[in-house]
């Protein structure tokens, strides 16, 4: 296998250098680039958990590419293909020339050493995969296969057009719900049955569940569906087209890590327009994060019910929808990987003060639960000293990539990990301060820009920061009726269950374990002390707390010594409720947010022609004008303006002359383009932004007069250029 991988790396390097393969081999090239560099390092880890190996392989490969990509963009020396080829050749050499160390047969789960004489992770992973050859062995696999086939049929029946006023909830056929219900039921049965299903089956069914929940919506359309993706696509295409970043343009060019590596990989695999691959991010990030949570849970317990239930809870409650093509999704994955590395390799003995507090907590726990002695030994430490240095380098590398990719996530990582390193739960202690120093040093040259444009602090009122909603932003909570409360209910459910589970695990005597997980769940709340993050802070707090609340929820049901009927009933009911609520939350707002392909094509046409002194009128903020490498032309304030404001103004003349006069009074443009999109018009009218007759009346006046040219029409979008007068 090592020989095959090394040879594959050399072949890929040649194909990349010669720009061969094209779209046909693009998936193979992308997979090879994501596997080989990381695997060259991860293969040397002794007896690593299989889920963790997958995570580290992919994430470390991405981090390795991000560093040279960002450097090349900064220094204006853009050579992705030679650099990618060099990395692959180096990885192939490491794989071929340096064999991995002999395995010891031991793997450390937090406080639970595992040997080959006990059911270690290898046997656990395949346990029950083929228990005999009876009907009970093959029936779950057959049902899962049929459900996935039905899901594919349901998507084929759905099409792109939305039906009804509840987004995809009223668009999906009954067959889609049947398939989803079957897979959810299989996942719940697999973790709650008296004899658990195999880890292999749970991996397959959970992957199917993640695909149904997070890939269904993107698979129905041929372009990225969320409007927020397109600004990120534009920045990526700008870097790919120019081979550089320009900090004077916007904040994204000052934090270019994600955009640089995306442009880098797009050039390497042959997809130079991010529109072609950005939609894959929703499922890709969702699945990778689910695997990371599984790996994290497996560092905390050897009980498969707990780590698989935590994985399912995370998959069924991550409604915040930060998996789309964005630097925050990329950085969130890096943050979770840092936590996984620390929990696996860097556990340490806390300082005396923390140990003293733990002792008091043990005494307190003993008062509540006499069955577990209050003098029970603290969790044993099994981190290998030999792994401290490579794990330290890995965390600092991931933090460096996070620092140059996103403005918020590095500080979330500091809030979570800094105290645990300083207090000694993780070692060495200086890693926490080093992480903070990296973030602060990178912020300093950008400090004036951030402070002047956005402000460093929103105020020190935690309740105001948590409840702040920016003006003119449509949130998912705006949906009418009880459906609009589904996000709050789902968040409350996982929050209450997670806290209850943390308390139960504490009562079981697992004090240190509970302290670490509880802190990681609580730490994001401290962000609300100073920032609302444009109204998104409350969502980010939930997102960063969610993995740890999911683990707490699993502890609530399965941390007892035996499987009880009460635990089974609670787990089944809770997971079912989560599945129903998540489906409502995730799919109901599709009509508000989906960007049609016709809008994307029109925006690309504009991007290829717009100039820095032009003004574009469109219906509302969700038309994807910022889509291509020419996006800096739009960024001067007002160059993209909403027809809604024009129509809402008093004494506006609904004529070409009126539009031209409005533009001249505000910007004195070189050219004026007016965009009429059917989808944007319908949504603006539905939201009652202006009288339903005003926009059609304005388009009629512009279309029939001699004061404008009809310059673009794809059936769903019309673009007119107002002739310049005076």
């Amino acid at each position: 296998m090592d020989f095959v991988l090394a040879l594959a790396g050399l072949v890929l390097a040649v194909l990349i250098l010669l720009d061969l393969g094209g779209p046909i081999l693009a998936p193979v090239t992308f997979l090879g680039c994501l596997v080989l560099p990381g695997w060259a390092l991860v293969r040397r880890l002794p007896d690593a958990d299989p889920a963790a190996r997958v995570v580290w392989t992919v994430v470390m490969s991405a981090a390795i590419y991000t560093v040279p990509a960002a450097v090349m963009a900064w220094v204006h020396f853009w050579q992705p293909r030679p650099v990618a080829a060099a990395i692959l050749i180096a990885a192939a050499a490491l794989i071929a020339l340096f064999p991995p160390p002999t395995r010891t047969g031991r793997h450390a789960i937090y406080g639970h050493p595992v040997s080959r004489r006990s059911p270690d992770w290898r046997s656990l992973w395949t346990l029950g995969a083929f228990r005999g050859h009876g009907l009970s062995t093959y029936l779950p696999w057959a049902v899962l296969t049929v459900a996935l086939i039905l899901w594919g049929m349901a998507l084929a029946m759905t099409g792109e057009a939305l039906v009804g006023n509840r987004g995809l909830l009223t668009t999906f056929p009954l067959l889609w719900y049947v398939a989803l219900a079957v897979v959810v039921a299989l996942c719940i049965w697999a973790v709650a049955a008296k004899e658990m299903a195999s880890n292999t089956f749970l991996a397959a069914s959970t992957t199917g569940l993640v695909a149904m929940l997070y890939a269904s919506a993107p698979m129905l359309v041929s372009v990225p569906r969320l409007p927020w993706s397109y600004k990120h696509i534009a920045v990526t295409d700008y870097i790919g087209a120019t081979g550089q970043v320009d900090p004077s343009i916007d904040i994204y060019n000052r934090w270019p890590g994600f955009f640089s590596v995306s442009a880098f990989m797009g050039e390497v695999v042959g997809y130079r327009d991010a529109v072609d691959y950005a939609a894959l991010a929703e499922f890709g990030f969702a699945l990778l994060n689910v695997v990371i949570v599984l790996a994290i849970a497996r560092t905390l317990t050897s009980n498969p019910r707990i780590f698989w239930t935590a994985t399912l809870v995370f998959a069924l409650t991550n409604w915040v929808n930060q998996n789309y093509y964005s630097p925050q999704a990329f950085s969130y994955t890096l943050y979770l990987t840092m936590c996984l590395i620390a929990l696996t390799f860097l556990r340490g003995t806390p300082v005396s003060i923390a140990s003293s507090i733990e002792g008091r907590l043990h005494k307190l726990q003993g008062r509540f639960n006499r069955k577990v002695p209050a003098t029970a030994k603290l969790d044993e430490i099994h981190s290998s000293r030999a792994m401290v240095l490579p794990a330290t380098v890995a965390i600092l590398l991931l933090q460096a990539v996070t620092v140059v990719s996103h403005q918020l996530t590095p500080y979330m990582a500091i809030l979570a990990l800094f105290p645990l390193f300083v207090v000694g739960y993780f070692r060495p202690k200086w890693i926490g301060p080093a992480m903070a120093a990296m973030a602060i040093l990178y912020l300093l040259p950008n400090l004036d820009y951030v402070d002047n444009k956005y402000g460093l602090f929103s105020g020190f009122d935690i309740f105001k920061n948590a409840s702040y909603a920016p003006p003119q932003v449509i949130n998912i909570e705006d949906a009418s009726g009880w459906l609009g409360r589904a996000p709050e209910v789902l968040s409350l459910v996982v929050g209450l269950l997670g806290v209850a589970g943390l308390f139960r695990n504490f009562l079981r005597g697992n004090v240190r374990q509970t302290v670490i997980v509880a802190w990681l769940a609580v730490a994001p709340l401290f962000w609300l002390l100073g920032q609302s993050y444009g109204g998104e802070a409350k969502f980010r707090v939930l997102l960063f707390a969610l993995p740890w609340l999911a683990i707490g929820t699993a502890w609530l049901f399965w941390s007892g010594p035996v499987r009880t009927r009460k635990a089974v009933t609670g787990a089944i009911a809770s997971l079912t409720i989560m599945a129903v609520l998540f489906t409502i939350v995730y799919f109901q707002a599709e009509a508000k947010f989906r960007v049609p392909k016709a809008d994307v094509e029109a925006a690309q046409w504009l991007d290829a022609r717009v100039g820095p002194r032009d003004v574009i009128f469109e219906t509302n903020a969700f038309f994807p004008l910022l889509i291509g490498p020419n996006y800096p032309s739009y960024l001067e304030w007002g160059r993209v303006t909403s027809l809604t404001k024009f129509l809402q103004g008093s004494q506006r003349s609904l004529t070409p002359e009126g539009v031209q006069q409005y533009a001249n009074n505000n910007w004195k443009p070189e050219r004026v383009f007016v965009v009429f999109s059917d989808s944007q018009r319908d949504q603006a009218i539905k939201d009652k932004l202006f009288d339903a007759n005003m926009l059609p009346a304005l388009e009629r006046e512009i279309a029939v007069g001699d004061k404008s040219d009809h310059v673009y029409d794809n059936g769903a979008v019309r673009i007119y250029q107002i002739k310049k007068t005076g």
Side-chain angles (χ1 to χ4, degrees):
M1 181 60 69
D2 284 347
F3 175 78
V4 171
L5 287 174
L7 182 61
L10 295 176
V11 172
L12 278 180
V14 172
L15 292 176
I16 290 170
L17 276 175
L18 299 179
D19 197 7
L20 300 176
I24 296 177
L25 291 182
V28 177
T29 305
F30 181 70
L31 181 62
C33 289
L34 277 186
V35 168
L36 287 168
W39 180 247
L41 303 176
V42 173
R43 65 195 281 272
R44 304 190 60 79
L45 299 180
D47 298 296
D49 180 88
R53 280 179 179 266
V54 172
V55 171
W56 293 327
T57 297
V58 174
V59 174
M60 292 307 297
S61 293
I64 289 170
Y65 288 117
T66 302
V67 173
V71 171
M72 287 191 296
W74 276 322
V75 301
H76 301 183
F77 182 76
W78 190 246
Q79 298 293 331
R81 291 184 176 278
V83 171
I87 292 174
L88 288 173
I89 292 172
L94 286 174
I95 293 173
L97 302 178
F98 298 94
T102 303
R103 291 178 176 176
T104 63
R106 296 182 63 84
H107 171 67
I109 297 176
Y110 197 99
H112 304 280
V114 181
S115 70
R116 292 192 180 191
R117 295 181 180 179
S118 62
D120 68 0
W121 59 260
R122 296 180 192 82
S123 59
L124 284 172
W125 191 258
T126 57
L127 183 63
F130 300 100
R131 294 191 186 100
H133 299 282
L135 181 64
S136 60
T137 302
Y138 299 110
L139 183 59
W141 286 99
V143 173
L144 177 62
T145 302
V146 172
L148 293 176
I149 293 173
L150 294 178
W151 171 59
M153 295 171 57
L155 292 181
M157 295 167 54
T158 303
E160 289 198 28
L162 295 174
V163 178
N165 59 355
R166 293 297 180 190
L168 287 172
L169 291 180
T170 50
T171 302
F172 284 135
L174 178 61
L175 192 61
W176 186 89
Y177 291 98
V178 171
L180 176 63
V182 170
V183 174
V184 170
L186 283 174
C187 292
I188 295 175
W189 163 80
V191 298
K194 184 176 182 180
E195 187 175 3
M196 279 189 66
S198 68
N199 284 336
T200 306
F201 178 79
L202 272 160
S205 57
T206 302
T207 300
L209 177 63
V210 173
M212 288 183 171
L213 295 178
Y214 296 95
S216 289
M219 289 176 67
L220 293 176
V221 292
S222 55
V223 295
R225 65 189 183 95
L226 297 175
W228 312 288
S229 302
Y230 286 94
K231 175 63 179 296
H232 304 147
I233 290 171
V235 181
T236 301
D237 287 355
Y238 171 79
I239 294 174
T242 64
Q244 63 181 36
V245 294
D246 183 354
S248 67
I249 294 177
D250 57 16
I251 195 169
Y252 295 117
N253 277 261
R254 292 171 178 265
W255 273 266
F258 168 75
F259 307 111
S260 299
V261 75
S262 295
F264 179 99
M265 292 305 302
E267 173 70 23
V268 167
V269 303
Y271 282 97
R272 294 171 177 83
D273 188 348
V275 169
D276 295 331
Y277 58 81
L280 299 174
E282 284 191 68
F283 173 65
F285 281 124
L287 181 61
L288 185 56
N289 291 340
V290 164
V291 177
I292 298 175
V293 171
L294 170 64
I296 287 174
R298 286 167 68 92
T299 68
L300 299 170
T301 179
S302 58
N303 186 340
R305 293 192 197 275
I306 293 178
F307 56 69
W308 279 114
T309 300
T311 304
L312 290 175
V313 170
F314 179 79
L316 292 172
T317 55
N318 188 12
W319 66 266
V320 180
N321 199 5
Q322 290 295 309
N323 301 315
Y324 66 97
Y325 182 77
S326 63
Q328 52 265 41
F330 179 66
S331 300
Y332 181 66
T333 299
L334 299 181
Y335 159 74
L336 291 180
T337 306
M338 284 189 274
C339 294
L340 173 60
I341 293 172
L343 286 167
T344 304
F345 298 118
L346 299 180
R347 297 186 300 272
T349 302
V351 297
S352 57
I353 296 178
S355 298
S356 175
I357 295 174
E358 281 187 359
R360 295 182 182 181
L361 290 174
H362 270 285
K363 292 180 181 179
L364 178 63
Q365 171 269 331
R367 297 177 184 176
F368 288 99
N369 189 357
R370 299 285 183 181
K371 296 180 181 179
V372 180
T375 57
K377 291 180 65 177
L378 298 179
D379 297 1
E380 297 293 334
I381 305 302
H382 292 278
S383 293
S384 169
R385 289 185 177 274
M387 291 306 303
V388 170
L389 178 59
T392 298
V393 173
I395 283 187
L396 295 180
L397 172 64
L398 295 179
Q399 175 69 347
V401 173
T402 306
V403 164
V404 302
S405 297
H406 194 227
Q407 303 81 34
L408 170 65
T409 306
Y411 299 96
M412 285 294 200
I414 293 167
L415 283 174
L417 296 176
F418 181 95
L420 296 177
F421 276 109
V422 171
V423 174
Y425 284 109
F426 298 142
R427 57 174 178 158
K429 296 179 182 179
W430 59 265
I431 292 182
M435 293 175 63
M438 293 167 69
I440 294 172
L441 289 174
Y442 191 83
L443 176 63
L444 287 178
N446 298 292
L447 187 61
D448 289 341
Y449 179 89
V450 174
D451 191 27
N452 294 332
K453 198 163 184 73
Y454 304 99
L456 288 177
F457 299 101
S458 305
F460 297 98
D461 187 336
I462 186 172
F463 298 104
K464 182 179 179 181
N465 289 335
S467 60
Y468 172 78
Q472 298 180 346
V473 172
I474 302 174
N475 291 319
I476 195 170
E477 293 91 336
D478 293 330
S480 60
W482 66 273
L483 291 178
R485 295 295 181 184
E488 299 172 6
V489 175
L490 181 56
S491 304
L492 185 63
V493 167
V494 69
L496 292 176
L497 293 177
V499 171
L502 290 171
F503 185 66
R504 187 182 186 196
N505 195 58
F506 165 75
L507 293 182
R508 293 292 306 162
N510 301 314
V511 174
R512 180 173 300 176
Q513 187 186 67
T514 305
V515 166
I516 292 175
V517 174
W519 170 255
L520 292 170
V522 170
L525 285 170
F526 288 91
W527 185 261
L528 295 174
L529 292 175
Q531 258 287 354
S532 67
Y533 200 66
E536 295 185 11
K538 55 187 176 184
F539 304 124
R540 302 302 173 87
V541 167
L542 174 63
L543 180 66
F544 280 81
L546 195 55
W548 319 107
L549 294 175
I551 292 170
T553 302
W555 279 339
L556 177 64
F557 300 125
W558 311 120
S559 63
V562 295
R563 170 183 172 273
T564 65
R565 179 177 299 179
K566 184 184 297 184
V568 171
T569 303
I572 293 174
S574 298
L575 291 172
T576 302
I577 291 171
M578 291 174 185
V580 172
L581 290 173
F582 180 90
T583 303
I584 293 172
V585 173
Y586 204 77
F587 296 110
Q588 69 166 321
E590 188 74 7
K592 286 181 179 291
F593 299 140
R594 180 190 284 185
V595 177
K597 183 179 180 180
D599 288 13
V600 173
E601 292 173 343
Q604 290 175 320
W605 183 91
L606 267 175
D607 182 81
R609 291 160 178 81
V610 72
R613 296 188 59 192
D614 297 337
V615 167
I616 298 93
F617 286 87
E618 44 82 31
T619 306
N620 63 38
F622 286 165
F623 190 82
L625 280 172
L626 304 181
I627 194 174
N630 201 26
Y631 87 97
S633 298
Y634 295 92
L635 291 183
E636 182 181 341
W637 184 88
R639 291 296 178 187
V640 176
T641 189
S642 176
L643 278 171
T644 299
K645 294 181 179 180
F646 173 76
L647 296 174
Q648 290 174 343
S650 60
Q651 298 180 347
R652 298 296 186 206
S653 173
L654 300 182
T655 62
E657 294 87 349
V659 175
Q660 180 73 56
Q661 185 62 42
Y662 180 74
N664 289 338
N665 290 341
N666 290 277
W667 305 286
K668 295 181 174 57
E670 184 70 28
R671 295 180 298 177
V672 176
F673 294 95
V674 185
V675 180
F676 293 94
S677 164
D678 291 346
S679 63
Q680 304 296 304
R681 176 201 62 202
D682 295 343
Q683 188 61 48
I685 293 174
K686 182 180 178 181
D687 293 337
K688 300 179 180 179
L689 299 180
F690 44 74
D691 185 272
N693 297 318
M694 295 180 71
L695 196 62
L698 176 60
E699 183 172 6
R700 284 195 300 269
E701 287 292 328
I702 292 177
V704 301
D706 59 355
K707 303 297 184 182
S708 62
D709 293 324
H710 192 171
V711 294
Y712 180 86
D713 192 334
N714 63 14
V717 182
R718 282 85 51 202
I719 300 177
Y720 300 87
Q721 180 181 337
I722 306 298
K723 294 180 179 179
K724 191 173 183 180
T725 59

